[in-house]
Amino acid sequence: DQDGEPPTERPIDELGGSTIALIRSQPLIVLVSDVAGFTTLSERLPPDDLAQVIGAWYARCEEILGRRGATVDKFIGDCVLAYWTKVNPETVGAAVHAARELIDACSQIDTDKSDILQMAERNFHAGVGLHTGKVAYGGMSQGEFTLVGDPVNLTFRVEALTRELGH
């Protein structure tokens, strides 16, 4: 670990009344990518067409992030949350490349799904936020793995700034 701190693990008693989960705490690289204008897309497109567009996005996210060594924590509507467990120059580089590829993938989705997106009068694009910091991750409730901590919140805020900056 870059901070000289070994990952910590500890069991959490009584999650959901009966589950014991293992929570790890260590520095991670956290990535959040969110589709811009998704609310407008969902208002303007029939659900089947919207599913085709978001399904293409999910597939590209999984392919890019998997190839770059990330773990996809979850898809939250039109957003993906992913992380890398090693923080070193190699994985930071992989995370930056993944972020760039996710942005570039939007152009491909825009082309591949142009007929659907034209109906919505929208282009397909997404913002990406990256941050590194110590987080807790593991089973926080019955059957629910997640990441928590200020670095996770900050990554979401960085991604949200992409809308304000238009970049």
Side-chain angles (χ1 to χ4, degrees), residues 130-146:
L130 277 174
H131 186 54
T132 302
K134 190 171 185 177
V135 305
Y137 66 104
M140 303 290 173
S141 69
Q142 248 178 350
E144 184 66 29
F145 181 96
T146 198

Side-chain angles (χ1 to χ4, degrees), residues 91-146:
T91 54
V92 169
V96 170
H97 286 294
R100 182 76 248 165
E101 288 181 50
L102 289 172
I103 292 167
D104 292 345
C106 293
S107 296
Q108 188 62 50
I109 292 170
D110 217 28
T111 300
D112 293 348
K113 303 296 179 189
S114 63
D115 55 334
I116 295 172
L117 293 166
Q118 284 174 0
M119 286 190 300
E121 300 175 341
R122 300 287 303 184
N123 290 325
F124 190 88
H125 57 280
V128 180
L130 277 174
H131 186 54
T132 302
K134 190 171 185 177
V135 305
Y137 66 104
M140 303 290 173
S141 69
Q142 248 178 350
E144 184 66 29
F145 181 96
T146 198

Side-chain angles (χ1 to χ4, degrees), residues 19-37:
T19 303
I20 296 178
L22 188 63
I23 305 298
R24 290 182 172 87
S25 180
Q26 73 180 69
L28 301 179
I29 300 169
V30 181
L31 178 144
V32 171
S33 185
D34 190 44
V35 175

